[in-house]
Amino acid sequence: MRRIQYSPITLLILALCALHAWAGDLRVIANPSVGASSVSADELKGVFLATKTSLSDGSRVEPVLLKGGATHEEFLKAYVGKSDAAFETYYRSLVFTGKASMPKELATDADMVAYVAKTKGAIGYVSAGAAVAGVKTLEVK
Amino acid sequence: MYFQTRTIALAAFLCAAPAVMHAQFDFKVDGLPFQVHSFASQGFMYTSDNNYMTMNTSNGSFAFTDFGANVSTQITDKFRVGAQLYDRNVGKLGGWHPDLDWAVADYKFKDWFGIRAGKVKTTLGLFNDTQDLEFLHTWALLPQSMYPLDQRGSTISHIGGDIYGAIPLKKLGELNYTVYGGDRPNDMNGGYVYALETSAKQGTDANGISIVVPSSSRTINSYNGPAYGADLRWNTPLTGLLLGSSYLDQDPTTKGFFVATRIPFLIQTEKDLTNAFYAEYMLRGFRFDAEYRREIMDTRTTSSNGVLAAPTDKDMRSAYVAASYRLTKLLEIGSYYSRFYYNWAYLHSDPLNHVFDQAITARLDLRKYLDLKIEGHFMNGIMPSATVSRGFYIAPNPAGLKPDTRLLVIRLGYHL
């Protein structure tokens, strides 16, 4: 059987593509009422784990989730540090012990953008290519 | 027959409900959004020897059913209310008596300071507040040394309040604290009352451990008292690693009477202190949990002539280590080893003084809301204490208890 061989340049291009796919294929969006233009990774994690309800500028925020898919899993992996199953278990443990409500879940990027645009304090995420009219994009530091 | 019919009806509901309701149920009242969630499970247990958890498990038993439902709403950004009902039938325990599991009003002033009041689930160790929620766990039965099905009412909730919050430590992670106090609710359908009403202490064995015999000489009217405690858990900078410690001080009083003479019966707690230490580590599909708990309990009990006896001291120790790994989206496997010592001061190898349990599990996630667990337990020790039993009781085992038990548990559960 013939072994496939890659040149160093091909490997570099593949690595750059992979890095881009991991870090750049989503954007964090918020309702325009959110004063901050950036958010730290720790803040984002706290908001989506229900231990933080406001950002450092004092803006109150409400996390919004995608129901599933690559963007959702990438977001959880990159910023929350949990798999989809572990994240679900974490929230269920809060919901069924009276410690939190389940965040709003939306099926598509368009639904997410529409909901975040009309909901004060809403913060969510969409794929990098999604149209984001009516919401602000937050830089994650 | 009545219970069988209910069990079959519930099993049918369990099978049918997920198909027609595969999302949480939301509705609005006056613009206020409400969420409704529910769960249920149906189990089967079969043992090689000894009837377990008051069921007729040596012939196989389906008398292992529970369900719950909650409704909650976020009234303002900071204020939330909700309540959950819970009902169960585990052999002679629970008895289908629905229970207000929790009912809380929660006001979060700041991320680092919130108050929840009402009937609140007690935070103790990793799983005390989630022990009824089988769908959250790999196991059909959590380690029974620490989360015994039959003693659930001893720690599950308090009527009072919690102060809680999360304190970010920047690069050092985050601290979560809970401080609570209140009254421990009555648990008239648990293993504690069942044991007291169906058995009695009759002397001690050569190692000083109580020998318990069948007896229905007492009726219990109440079993409750004040409880307070705290929990501190540290989400460390190492992603997936959680370390924590809990403390619980409770002072329950048991009241009843001797059936023949109507003389009042009392168990008065002089001291009941629990310290727990725990660790959890999750990495991709791998999960590791370990806990250690020590409970020091001094109680005084009235004898049949109505005189309150001298205090008896117990130094109970429990610990377990558990590991699980998710092989695929469908399948997770795991194992734990758990130990419980009734009194650390007595001979550790005496089967009346301990219950050791090695468990192996396969969990199948058939749907996102439906799971099936198949679990084997290899237990040594029976420890049929009248007050802190771990599943082994004299009354369902009139021919006596044998030191070793093999147990098969199959449990089907759903949640919405």
Side-chain angles (χ1 to χ4, degrees):
Chain A
M1 191 193 300
R2 193 179 162 211
R3 292 181 64 189
I4 300 170
Q5 290 192 334
Y6 296 105
S7 71
I9 292 174
T10 310
L11 286 172
L12 183 63
I13 291 168
L14 285 172
L16 285 172
C17 289
L19 188 65
H20 175 75
W22 184 78
D25 272 4
L26 64 88
R27 62 173 80 176
V28 177
I29 58 170
N31 182 269
S33 65
V34 173
S37 58
S38 65
V39 61
S40 73
D42 281 347
E43 277 182 306
L44 205 54
K45 184 177 179 179
V47 168
F48 280 87
L49 290 179
T51 60
K52 268 191 101 54
T53 53
S54 57
L55 301 182
S56 53
D57 72 328
S59 305
R60 287 198 68 82
V61 287
E62 170 206 329
V64 189
L65 305 171
L66 284 172
K67 271 186 180 158
T71 306
H72 175 65
E73 288 185 7
E74 187 189 326
F75 175 80
L76 294 180
K77 188 178 173 188
Y79 296 117
V80 182
K82 288 186 187 291
S83 66
D84 188 23
F87 183 72
E88 181 95 3
T89 298
Y90 174 81
Y91 256 100
R92 296 280 174 202
S93 72
L94 298 179
V95 168
F96 282 94
T97 55
K99 291 171 182 165
S101 299
M102 206 69 195
K104 184 84 178 167
E105 286 183 319
L106 298 156
T108 64
D109 282 352
D111 292 344
M112 171 71 87
V113 171
Y115 183 82
V116 170
K118 71 176 184 190
T119 309
K120 190 180 171 190
I123 181 167
Y125 48 88
V126 289
S127 58
V132 289
V135 298
K136 68 194 292 185
T137 300
L138 297 182
E139 183 194 351
V140 183
K141 289 181 180 171
Chain B
M1 189 66 196
Y2 172 65
F3 287 124
Q4 268 189 344
T5 308
R6 290 189 72 159
T7 302
I8 291 165
L10 186 74
F13 171 71
L14 270 171
C15 296
V20 293
M21 298 170 66
H22 47 80
Q24 71 187 40
F25 174 48
D26 294 352
F27 64 96
K28 284 190 174 180
V29 175
D30 238 4
L32 204 59
F34 284 79
Q35 286 185 4
V36 179
H37 297 270
S38 60
F39 64 95
S41 78
Q42 174 61 53
F44 169 79
M45 286 197 198
Y46 177 77
T47 47
S48 58
D49 284 305
N50 301 326
N51 286 315
Y52 189 55
M53 288 290 169
T54 74
M55 288 178 249
N56 186 15
T57 52
S58 55
N59 288 325
S61 176
F62 283 99
F64 180 23
T65 312
D66 72 343
F67 57 93
N70 68 59
V71 60
S72 63
T73 185
Q74 191 82 34
I75 293 174
T76 70
D77 284 349
K78 297 180 177 179
F79 187 47
R80 201 171 48 77
V81 295
Q84 178 163 288
L85 281 174
Y86 180 67
D87 198 358
R88 71 172 186 166
N89 178 59
V90 181
K92 307 286 185 196
L93 311 178
W96 297 109
H97 292 284
D99 183 31
L100 182 63
D101 195 26
W102 52 262
V104 293
D106 186 330
Y107 197 91
K108 199 168 189 176
F109 293 87
K110 298 279 183 189
D111 293 331
W112 55 268
F113 184 73
I115 294 175
R116 60 175 79 95
K119 188 172 184 184
V120 188
K121 282 280 181 125
T122 301
T123 308
L124 174 66
L126 279 173
F127 304 126
N128 186 62
D129 54 351
T130 63
Q131 62 182 283
D132 303 323
L133 310 170
E134 63 78 31
F135 55 92
L136 296 177
H137 307 296
T138 308
W139 326 105
L141 295 179
L142 283 170
Q144 295 295 292
S145 61
M146 214 160 288
Y147 303 109
L149 276 178
D150 44 345
Q151 303 295 335
R152 162 187 186 273
S154 302
T155 55
I156 195 73
S157 60
H158 52 278
I159 299 169
D162 288 11
I163 295 170
Y164 69 95
I167 302 166
L169 301 173
K170 294 183 178 168
K171 289 185 177 177
L172 292 177
E174 185 178 80
L175 274 182
N176 290 269
Y177 73 89
T178 307
V179 180
Y180 58 88
D183 196 52
R184 202 184 81 177
N186 230 349
D187 174 32
M188 295 305 294
N189 301 299
Y192 179 87
V193 169
Y194 173 80
L196 284 175
E197 291 190 336
T198 59
S199 61
K201 178 181 165 182
Q202 188 185 67
T204 54
D205 75 356
N207 301 314
I209 300 167
S210 301
I211 294 172
V212 182
V213 297
S215 166
S216 52
S217 60
R218 293 171 295 211
T219 293
I220 305 302
N221 294 327
S222 68
Y223 164 50
N224 58 358
Y228 62 89
D231 176 84
L232 187 66
R233 53 190 67 194
W234 176 33
N235 284 294
T236 68
L238 178 62
T239 301
L241 177 64
L242 172 82
L243 302 172
S245 177
S246 304
Y247 171 80
L248 170 64
D249 186 349
Q250 47 185 339
D251 188 18
T253 301
T254 307
K255 290 178 182 170
F257 59 88
F258 289 98
V259 174
T261 60
R262 310 294 288 183
I263 289 173
F265 172 76
L266 182 73
I267 297 180
Q268 189 175 297
T269 302
E270 302 278 303
K271 184 201 287 184
D272 189 348
L273 305 175
T274 302
N275 285 293
F277 302 93
Y278 54 88
E280 170 193 287
Y281 182 60
M282 286 189 277
L283 180 68
R284 296 187 186 94
F286 175 77
R287 178 179 177 122
F288 172 81
D289 298 304
E291 292 195 66
Y292 168 79
R293 191 179 293 182
R294 182 182 186 190
E295 182 175 4
I296 296 172
M297 184 192 286
D298 296 351
T299 54
R300 301 180 71 188
T301 306
T302 38
S303 48
S304 55
N305 61 8
V307 176
L308 206 54
T312 55
D313 304 343
K314 288 193 261 299
D315 180 356
M316 291 178 280
R317 312 275 181 109
S318 46
Y320 73 87
V321 289
S324 61
Y325 186 70
R326 180 159 288 282
L327 290 165
T328 66
K329 265 196 165 178
L330 174 73
L331 178 64
E332 185 177 20
I333 55 169
S335 179
Y336 66 69
Y337 185 67
S338 155
R339 283 191 169 202
F340 178 80
Y341 293 97
Y342 168 69
N343 197 331
W344 189 252
Y346 294 157
L347 186 68
H348 294 177
S349 58
D350 187 335
L352 296 180
N353 192 32
H354 71 242
V355 178
F356 300 159
D357 182 10
Q358 171 81 60
I360 50 169
T361 300
R363 173 185 168 135
L364 297 163
D365 287 277
L366 306 171
R367 295 281 185 277
K368 203 169 181 182
Y369 49 81
L370 187 69
D371 63 81
L372 176 70
K373 295 164 184 170
I374 302 164
E375 190 165 284
H377 289 257
F378 304 88
M379 292 185 271
N380 172 256
I382 45 180
M383 212 275 301
S385 152
T387 52
V388 291
S389 294
R390 291 295 191 271
F392 296 103
Y393 294 86
I394 298 299
N397 293 284
L401 285 155
K402 294 173 183 165
D404 293 311
T405 309
R406 289 180 186 173
L407 165 68
L408 168 71
V409 189
I410 300 173
R411 200 170 183 188
L412 175 70
Y414 93 94
H415 66 280
L416 299 172

